[in-house]
Amino acid sequence: MTENPRKLTRKDFASDQEVRWCPGCGDYAILAAIQRTLPKLGATTENTVFVSGIGCSSRFPYYMNTYGFHTIHGRAPTFATGLKITRPELDVWVITGDGDGLSIGGNHLLHVLRRNVNLQIILFNNQIYGLTKGQYSPTSDVGQVSPSTPLGSIDQPVVPVRVALGANAKFVARGYDVSKKLPELLEQAHAFPGAALVEVLQNCPVFNDGVFDLITDRKKGPQHQLWVEHGKPMITADGKKGLRLDPKTMQLELVELGEGGVSEDELFVHDETNRSIAWMLSDLPEVKALGVLYREPDAPVYDDGVRAQVEMAQEKAGGSDLAALLRSGHTWEV
Amino acid sequence: MSTATKDVKREELESVVIRFAGDSGDGMQLTGSQFTSATAMMGNDLATFPDFPAEIRAPAGTTYGVSGFQIHFADHDILTPGDAPDVLVAMNPAALKVNLPTLKKGGLLIVNTDAFTKNNLKKAGYESNPLEDDSLAPYRLLALEITRMTRAAVTEFNLGAKAADRSKNMWTLGLMFWLFGRDRQPTVDWLKKKFAKKPEIAEANIAALNAGHIYGETAELPSTVGVYQVPSADLPPGTYRNIDGNQATAWGLVAGAQLAGLPLFYGSYPITPASSLLHNLAKLKHLGVVTFQAEDEIAAVCAAIGASFGGSVGVTGTSGPGVALKGEAIGLAIATELPLVICDVQRGGPSTGLPTKTEQSDLFQAVYGRNGDAPLVVLAAATPGDCFYMAIEAVRLATKYMTPVMLLTDGYIANGAEPWPIPDVSKLEPFPVKFHEGPSEGFQPFLRRDDGTHARVWVKPGTPGLEHRIGGLEKAADSGNISYDPDNHHAMTKLRAEKVRGVADDVPAASLDQGEAGGELLVVGWGSTYGSIKQAVERVRKGGRKVAHLHLRNIWPLPNGLKELLEGFDQVMVPEMNDGQLARLLRGELLVDAVPFSKIAGQPFRISELVTEIERRLGDAAPRESSPEVRA
Ligand code: SF4
């Protein structure tokens, strides 16, 4: 990152384009969180690039006063990969959605994560196709009624963070659109060297309003939120419940804290470097685990590896050039 | 021990076509390529045609498991791997069955009798053993117990029968080296290097090679089997090497990127017959090349576009099915006006088609195969060596015009090799790219350069003050912002078309490769048919007919002056390895009566096929304007 000569603010990262999401869309909050986070990271507008696919969320780059590439449906991770491995000094963010990243682009998400390309991948999950007017998505619950499923969806949904864990992702986190903790999660994702996946639960008031209310509601939400922190016991945001490991079933169970319940030291302590714990946390009944579910420090970074091989080959070749290549092997004079 | 050939009286031949054929496990491609290297060293001009089955290990002994390698070499400039072989080496009955129909009557036929077992004969579909009936009478048959003699040659190495038998291709090669007076030493060196870690295998192969050679020297070969010599060809002086089309394309891309002053990024997904492009480029990391084996065809092209967005020369390579998958992304590169090179090494289609066979049937896909009005530049290489120069041209046009360029080659030139005069890279004309760096006032990403190209400016992310967003949505001509305005879309569509059309003013105008304007018949070709057409036209012209040859390297836009040239001929014939795609393009674009001549057999044209067709079309009519020197 180049020296930041002038302290940038949130405004410096906003483009002159009118934001065209529906009023009340969760995307506004995510946009604000990212615009607020970037100055804190010491980011510059010229060295930051947002790459997106297609969908409501993928309009995102147009609203950022940075470099941006609004690509084609599902493929953002691939464009970002080509860009990042040729321009490693750039700070590249991928913006995708549940349809873009898990349906049409599922393959690319799998591979960008397993390769561990140094990117921040923000997956806006609203459990619906917004831009095409409300069809069910791969994360929609069974029974979702939509124009394409008038009798309810019979598809089993995918759990985005599970896809990521299954793909051997090295950084997996989850937050939600209007959460105050979202900027902090983004900061951690940014600090991680490698592919950092952040699933952001996002409300689509037009086609899937309130789908996450149980978690995001200001009053009732905290009892269903479980923000995990490395080395800390797992306690819901309202402080009333926690997770305990049942050694017989190897499952996490939700237990009452305090009087008549269990004490805090009986609760399970989060270890973000443990993939099995992340897996257990990924799809709990009643509560939603939020925060950094998994982080694998010191994993090899793909773009570093690409550069290292080129440098190694150059060193070994000692300035051998194209002319030498053309004359390599068997040649003869006529 | 000296490996040089003893002095014997050799019959001089102008040119020879040899076809090595055997089971895919018989090592025929290796045999062929070693014979090729030895032949190049003798100063012969040559062309090769590897022809292998689609299956990696097809069932042994079957006709569909037959692998062939044809080489044509001569004392003069040649352009094709030849039509009918003069010599056929058949390592088993299936190889004989598949290849005998092409062998010239009176040609030399070498067979391994040990492979003519009941079982193998049955698998090849022979009812009786052709070695025992008189079906091979029209040929000069040399029936040898190659397996037995190979085993005898390698006994001291205790390899076991299976491993020993693997050396029989080297035995055969040794014999062929003797017959054609080639030097064994380079093959000996090559074997030592290839099996450096298994010296006993290297030694066994060398022993087999020598045994085959000694057999030729000492055995009393039938008098019908001559020993031959082909004097060296009269090639222009220079330093030469053998090169195949994919290697030439890979090196041309590297050269192009260097001439542009940019790093090269190559994203690809393995596909026959384009994979060796990836292999070749992956070896060139020391030249700064970044290669990326993507998860699929789409990811490969998208990563290349991402690299172009970042200021590299983004290239992807594939074959027809891969181009189909890349279509949407190529459209994005057209809409965002980013440079991109797509190498399409064509093969038989549709669908999976004939992966290992050659065809030119992606022309329509290249020119038209995308949604919307989506023009790009289409180039076609004519020979293996030409791939080098066309790849450079692809990079030049892509970066100068900010457009995708599709370079069409095909399996025939991708795998075929020819002696290639090595160019002096310091003499290649550079075309350095200048990135736009400001001013930020009045900047918008679709600002056009004022150099007449209509190309937009290329800004590298990281440039302060020029932050911008691009994408596949239509953008306003004046601001670069998203625009759904109907008139703007009309204007932008026309602008993109005009930009690509303008390339015609930047490339050579149409000209004849052979013959004079305004004759009886013009043969218009493109791509890998160059050699066959050139020689066919030469032959017909020797008969006094006013026939000419024009070979298109610029498929889209078509070169300037083409219509006028075509209209000057009584007939225009378009031989293509497809069902008439260029002919239809010419008819549609130029309103000329171009008539296709199609061969869609997964095989290149034979010169004789073209000669017959040209003569048929000319009919008995006297030459329209016979030239005096021909009359005489
Ligand atoms: S459709 Fe839904 S997701 Fe899309 S912009 Fe409107 S509210 Fe947001």
Side-chain angles (χ1 to χ4, degrees):
Chain A
M1 197 131 302
T2 54
E3 195 60 37
N4 203 347
R6 177 171 69 91
K7 194 98 188 74
L8 296 183
T9 66
R10 174 187 167 177
K11 276 214 185 97
D12 293 305
F13 286 93
S15 77
D16 59 355
Q17 297 297 295
E18 185 194 344
V19 184
R20 298 223 191 139
W21 287 309
C22 308
C25 177
D27 291 0
Y28 284 94
I30 307 173
L31 177 66
I34 291 182
Q35 286 173 343
R36 219 178 292 136
T37 306
L38 287 173
K40 276 196 241 161
L41 304 173
T44 61
T45 52
E46 68 268 24
N47 280 328
T48 305
V49 186
F50 281 87
V51 181
S52 65
I54 295 292
C56 290
S57 59
S58 289
R59 291 296 184 96
F60 194 96
Y62 290 115
Y63 308 134
M64 298 296 299
N65 182 33
T66 62
Y67 284 89
F69 201 171
H70 179 215
T71 70
I72 51 176
H73 205 11
R75 321 296 173 195
T78 65
F79 290 92
T81 299
L83 178 63
K84 184 68 186 177
I85 60 187
T86 49
R87 297 289 307 281
E89 75 279 17
L90 296 175
D91 194 8
V92 183
W93 298 69
V94 171
I95 304 292
T96 183
D98 43 320
D100 191 61
L102 292 164
S103 197
I104 192 166
N107 188 32
H108 308 305
L109 189 66
L110 157 66
H111 292 283
V112 77
L113 291 172
R114 75 163 169 92
R115 286 193 186 104
N116 203 29
V117 185
N118 193 0
L119 306 165
Q120 293 74 247
I121 303 165
I122 316 301
L123 190 148
F124 295 21
N125 180 10
N126 57 11
Q127 297 191 4
I128 205 79
Y129 282 90
L131 198 65
T132 50
K133 298 201 169 26
Q135 301 83 358
Y136 77 110
S137 92
T139 55
S140 295
D141 292 328
V142 172
Q144 176 99 35
V145 173
S146 81
S148 56
T149 49
L151 302 182
S153 156
I154 52 171
D155 284 29
Q156 294 293 321
V158 292
V159 178
V161 293
R162 285 204 159 172
V163 171
L165 289 167
N168 232 347
K170 322 290 184 214
F171 182 100
V172 181
R174 182 159 56 195
Y176 63 91
D177 47 13
V178 292
S179 164
K180 287 210 174 63
K181 293 193 178 176
L182 187 58
E184 190 195 311
L185 265 193
L186 295 169
E187 270 179 60
Q188 298 204 47
H190 184 265
F192 182 76
L197 179 104
V198 184
E199 178 195 0
V200 183
L201 309 178
Q202 173 242 320
N203 191 36
C204 167
V206 175
F207 294 111
N208 209 10
D209 195 24
V211 67
F212 299 117
D213 271 3
L214 200 64
I215 302 145
T216 59
D217 183 76
R218 233 175 246 161
K219 279 208 186 108
K220 293 202 200 114
Q223 53 183 295
H224 300 285
Q225 294 172 18
L226 193 126
W227 288 91
V228 294
E229 234 177 291
H230 185 63
K232 301 258 175 75
M234 298 171 178
I235 303 173
T236 53
D238 64 352
K240 291 190 178 142
K241 288 182 182 170
L243 290 175
R244 183 172 71 177
L245 184 71
D246 180 343
K248 279 197 221 109
T249 61
M250 285 304 283
Q251 303 263 346
L252 294 171
E253 53 175 356
L254 195 63
V255 290
E256 298 275 347
L257 278 175
E259 256 170 77
V262 304
S263 77
E264 228 181 87
D265 20 301
E266 281 181 64
L267 295 181
F268 202 54
V269 172
H270 185 44
D271 174 1
E272 64 181 16
T273 66
N274 186 318
R275 197 174 281 272
S276 306
I277 295 175
W279 184 265
M280 285 193 276
L281 286 169
S282 59
D283 196 23
L284 295 164
E286 290 180 69
V287 293
K288 197 71 142 182
L290 302 164
V292 179
L293 305 189
Y294 182 68
R295 175 179 359 223
E296 182 180 321
D298 307 324
V301 176
Y302 185 76
D303 26 311
D304 291 348
V306 171
R307 235 166 323 150
Q309 284 198 341
V310 167
E311 279 162 18
M312 201 171 73
Q314 282 171 335
E315 210 163 283
K316 225 175 119 191
S320 162
D321 60 3
L322 179 65
L325 172 70
L326 265 49
R327 279 161 198 278
S328 63
H330 175 61
T331 63
W332 68 95
E333 296 297 325
V334 170
Chain B
M1 184 192 68
S2 155
T3 58
T5 303
K6 270 204 308 192
D7 264 348
V8 283
K9 180 110 189 68
R10 290 181 177 271
E11 185 188 335
E12 280 213 358
L13 299 175
E14 273 185 13
S15 87
V16 177
V17 177
I18 300 177
R19 192 168 177 91
F20 297 92
D23 218 45
S24 15
D26 282 342
M28 290 298 102
Q29 303 301 326
L30 275 183
T31 312
S33 61
Q34 283 305 306
F35 194 85
T36 303
S37 306
T39 296
M41 232 177 306
M42 299 296 292
N44 294 135
D45 195 18
L46 62 87
T48 66
F49 176 46
D51 181 17
F52 36 81
E55 292 76 16
I56 300 298
R57 292 273 181 267
T62 58
T63 49
Y64 54 92
V66 171
S67 171
F69 186 102
Q70 186 157 316
I71 171 168
H72 179 195
F73 54 103
D75 65 350
H76 53 268
D77 185 18
I78 52 166
L79 300 145
T80 74
D83 291 356
D86 305 290
V87 181
L88 172 64
V89 178
M91 298 301 281
N92 71 357
L96 182 67
K97 177 112 192 178
V98 171
N99 292 290
L100 191 64
T102 60
L103 181 62
K104 274 190 194 145
K105 293 280 181 291
L108 177 61
L109 173 62
I110 300 172
V111 295
N112 175 18
T113 55
D114 292 326
F116 281 64
T117 59
K118 245 201 187 131
N119 194 12
N120 278 350
L121 286 163
K122 203 174 129 206
K123 274 197 252 176
Y126 276 115
E127 272 161 26
S128 69
N129 188 344
L131 300 176
E132 286 161 9
D133 55 33
D134 56 2
S135 60
L136 301 178
Y139 310 98
R140 290 177 290 148
L141 177 65
L142 188 54
L144 304 169
E145 296 168 288
I146 295 178
T147 310
R148 188 187 61 79
M149 291 191 280
T150 305
R151 283 187 194 162
V154 304
T155 36
E156 57 175 299
F157 302 99
N158 292 322
L159 296 176
K162 224 176 167 185
D165 287 358
R166 257 188 231 131
S167 306
K168 64 181 184 291
N169 61 335
M170 286 298 128
W171 194 97
T172 314
L173 184 63
L175 176 65
M176 296 300 284
F177 278 174
W178 155 254
L179 286 175
F180 290 91
R182 317 275 90 156
D183 188 3
R184 274 168 289 163
Q185 193 57 47
T187 299
V188 170
D189 296 342
W190 174 81
L191 283 166
K192 282 191 177 149
K193 202 171 151 201
K194 182 171 164 71
F195 296 110
K197 294 215 176 85
K198 292 181 191 154
E200 69 287 355
I201 303 278
E203 287 309 319
N205 274 299
I206 293 165
L209 181 78
N210 290 333
H213 200 268
I214 292 163
Y215 180 86
E217 283 177 54
T218 55
E220 302 255 307
L221 294 178
S223 59
T224 50
V225 179
V227 282
Y228 308 99
Q229 162 180 331
V230 176
S232 33
D234 210 5
L235 299 172
T239 309
Y240 281 71
R241 65 168 304 123
N242 275 332
I243 199 160
D244 68 53
N246 276 353
Q247 194 178 22
T249 303
W251 293 2
L253 290 169
V254 175
Q258 290 193 357
L259 296 169
L262 300 178
L264 177 68
F265 175 91
Y266 185 77
S268 186
Y269 184 75
I271 184 169
T272 304
S275 300
S276 67
L277 256 177
L278 174 60
H279 306 165
N280 272 299
L281 285 163
K283 282 190 285 201
L284 303 182
K285 293 197 164 65
H286 64 285
L287 299 177
V289 177
V290 172
T291 56
F292 174 61
Q293 181 177 320
E295 58 269 27
D296 61 25
E297 295 282 359
I298 298 173
V301 65
C302 293
I305 297 170
S308 287
F309 178 65
S312 292
V313 178
V315 182
T316 187
T318 185
S319 189
V323 174
L325 286 164
K326 293 175 198 292
E328 186 193 8
I330 295 170
L332 178 70
I334 291 169
T336 53
E337 301 184 47
L338 281 169
L340 172 71
V341 176
I342 308 115
C343 304
D344 178 0
V345 187
Q346 301 164 95
R347 66 189 216 186
S351 186
T352 309
L354 303 169
T356 60
K357 306 290 173 193
T358 196
E359 205 162 279
Q360 299 181 296
S361 48
D362 290 348
L363 184 140
F364 279 169
Q365 179 171 241
V367 176
Y368 302 123
R370 289 159 298 281
N371 66 305
D373 287 302
L376 49 66
V377 179
V378 182
L379 306 176
T383 65
D386 191 36
C387 291
F388 180 79
Y389 298 100
M390 293 316 282
I392 295 176
E393 178 71 349
V395 175
R396 181 182 79 88
L397 294 174
T399 51
K400 180 166 175 185
Y401 290 84
M402 296 294 281
T403 176
V405 176
M406 197 171 306
L407 171 58
L408 296 174
T409 69
D410 62 36
Y412 178 51
I413 48 178
N415 294 322
E418 65 173 0
W420 185 59
I422 301 173
D424 180 351
V425 287
S426 66
K427 298 230 168 80
L428 299 170
E429 185 77 36
F431 41 87
V433 164
K434 250 187 86 58
F435 288 100
H436 186 69
E437 286 174 339
S440 54
E441 244 133 281
F443 169 75
Q444 58 106 340
F446 290 84
L447 195 70
R448 309 266 150 200
R449 294 184 197 144
D450 51 10
D451 58 359
T453 60
H454 298 296
R456 78 170 179 100
V457 293
W458 194 2
V459 179
K460 265 204 287 196
T463 311
L466 301 187
E467 292 85 350
H468 66 269
R469 278 66 56 193
I470 56 172
L473 289 165
E474 186 61 281
K475 59 280 301 163
D478 54 359
S479 67
N481 290 332
I482 298 171
S483 164
Y484 298 109
D485 180 72
D487 292 341
N488 176 71
H489 179 55
H490 184 92
M492 285 298 284
T493 302
K494 289 291 191 185
L495 177 72
R496 287 186 285 263
E498 180 52 27
K499 181 176 83 165
V500 169
R501 199 219 53 78
V503 168
D505 304 333
D506 197 0
V507 300
S511 68
L512 297 174
D513 288 73
Q514 195 185 161
E516 306 78 28
E520 294 173 83
L521 184 146
L522 174 65
V523 184
V524 180
W526 68 281
S528 73
T529 54
Y530 176 78
S532 311
I533 296 177
K534 179 167 184 218
Q535 294 193 350
V537 169
E538 254 166 34
R539 271 194 217 170
V540 180
R541 285 174 59 80
K542 276 187 194 152
R545 306 305 297 248
K546 300 220 68 176
V547 176
H549 173 202
L550 183 150
H551 215 73
L552 283 173
R553 285 178 171 77
N554 291 90
I555 305 293
W556 195 267
L558 289 166
N560 292 335
L562 185 62
K563 184 177 166 72
E564 296 71 24
L565 252 180
L566 265 56
E567 280 174 345
F569 285 83
D570 296 347
Q571 295 188 56
V572 176
M573 164 181 161
V574 187
E576 290 178 87
M577 296 187 287
N578 65 45
D579 202 10
Q581 299 190 14
L582 178 66
R584 267 181 272 174
L585 184 86
L586 295 175
R587 296 175 76 94
E589 286 299 312
L590 309 176
L591 220 65
V592 293
D593 189 13
V595 183
F597 177 53
S598 295
K599 177 170 184 180
I600 324 158
Q603 299 281 343
F605 279 105
R606 298 218 177 101
I607 300 163
S608 54
E609 285 169 339
L610 290 170
V611 169
T612 308
E613 180 62 17
I614 295 169
E615 285 174 345
R616 192 189 68 76
R617 292 196 186 192
L618 288 170
D620 293 321
R624 195 177 73 155
E625 237 183 18
S626 45
S627 57
E629 74 269 29
V630 170
R631 263 232 182 109

